Amino acid sequence: MQDTNRDWIELVKATRQKFGVSIQEAHDLIFADDEMRRLVASRINHNAECRKMALQDIRAYGEASRFVRSGDRINFRKSDGQR
């Protein structure tokens, strides 16, 4: 795993600890930030490990996933990054 991917995992862990929330709730808090959504959207489409995680979310949650495939790209389903 690359350091940048590890940074994401550590950010989710720190968010969970700080707010006492689940993984999905930590994602909601993180994706509420415009800049974070832009960074994540770019990583999803340029990093194989990030893309794999987004595709797993799509498979696991289907229409309830926060991501959607658009041709070769993966985008946030909603502009606010929420489910």
Side-chain angles (χ1 to χ4, degrees):
M1 183 176 291
Q2 295 177 358
D3 289 336
T4 52
N5 294 342
R6 190 79 183 132
D7 290 344
W8 171 255
I9 293 168
E10 293 303 320
L11 175 61
V12 172
K13 283 181 183 181
T15 303
R16 290 186 69 200
Q17 289 175 344
K18 181 175 182 177
F19 296 103
V21 296
S22 70
I23 291 174
Q24 292 304 323
E25 290 167 324
H27 289 164
D28 291 343
L29 291 169
I30 294 166
F31 293 143
D33 181 77
D34 291 338
E35 185 63 25
M36 285 303 299
R37 281 194 310 279
R38 281 190 289 276
L39 291 170
V40 169
S42 176
R43 299 254 329 135
I44 286 170
N45 288 293
H46 294 98
N47 179 281
E49 187 66 25
C50 293
R51 183 176 187 82
K52 179 180 170 183
M53 286 188 269
L55 290 170
Q56 287 172 339
D57 191 88
I58 291 170
R59 280 191 299 278
Y61 295 101
E63 292 294 318
S65 172
R66 71 179 75 245
F67 303 107
V68 63
R69 285 187 83 158
S70 178
D72 290 338
R73 296 190 54 81
I74 297 175
N75 300 309
F76 281 97
R77 185 176 299 276
K78 296 181 181 177
S79 62
D80 65 0
Q82 303 304 303
R83 288 194 187 276

